[in-house]
Structures are given as C-alpha cells and as structure tokens.
Amino acid sequence: MVADNRFFDFFSENNVRYIRGRPRHPQNQGQVERVNQTIVRKIASAIENSNEKRWIDIHQKIVFKYNCCWHRAINKTPFNAFRLREGINNL
C-alpha cells in the first residue's frame, strides 16, 4: 500500500490528474486512442515510404519524433513537458 501512496503523492505534487477508465473499453480513453491513431498512421506512412517492412523497427523513432513535436494543447513538446528540457530530434 505504501507504493500506491507514493504513486498518488507523485501525481498530486506534479499536478497530474489520474483518471480511471473501464478496462478493455477504448472508447473511454479518447486522448490515448487519438495518440495511438496518430502513431499508427505515421508508422504506416514510414513503411510505405521506406525499405523498412517491420513496424517494430521504426516504432521507437516515430514515437520519439512525435514527442519532440510542438503540441498546441500543452504549449510545448511532450518531451519538454516530461523531461523539462528539449529533446534533440536528429533521427
């Protein structure tokens, strides 16, 4: 139970809102599903435009690039929001 308290203490210290959703019900997880859709679309485009045929080989690069792009909703990059510094997008 101590680990659970630390988890929620971390959330409150960092102004993170914890939202519980129904398991195996992605319709309730709109923001997560939207990001997943974007990443899947970017992976499909990368596979179509390159010689790479396995999504797992390019997934990490795609996610890193996504996290280094400016997001209007948070007025910064996700990398900056999480790490408090800019990521170097040289991939």
Side-chain angles (χ1 to χ4, degrees):
M1 196 61 153
V2 173
D4 290 340
N5 291 336
R6 283 192 224 148
F7 186 71
F8 290 110
D9 289 344
F10 173 81
F11 279 173
S12 63
E13 290 168 7
N14 292 284
N15 297 322
V16 174
R17 187 174 54 167
Y18 179 68
I19 300 172
R20 293 186 183 127
R22 286 178 48 198
R24 294 172 294 285
H25 199 264
Q27 294 86 344
N28 288 349
Q29 307 295 333
Q31 291 174 326
V32 172
E33 291 303 314
R34 181 65 182 98
V35 170
N36 288 345
Q37 178 186 17
T38 299
I39 291 172
V40 166
R41 195 174 62 244
K42 288 181 181 290
I43 289 172
S45 176
I47 287 174
E48 184 177 311
N49 297 322
S50 73
N51 292 332
E52 195 61 63
K53 298 300 176 202
R54 292 171 19 119
W55 70 269
I56 196 70
D57 295 333
I58 58 175
H59 175 263
Q60 188 173 2
K61 287 181 185 178
I62 298 288
V63 171
F64 183 77
K65 286 181 179 182
Y66 178 83
N67 285 331
C68 289
C69 292
W70 190 265
H71 289 250
R72 217 176 351 161
I74 59 174
N75 204 28
K76 59 178 76 174
T77 68
F79 191 93
N80 181 269
F82 184 70
R83 300 277 185 187
L84 303 177
R85 64 182 175 89
E86 289 301 322
I88 299 170
N89 190 355
N90 60 0
L91 299 176

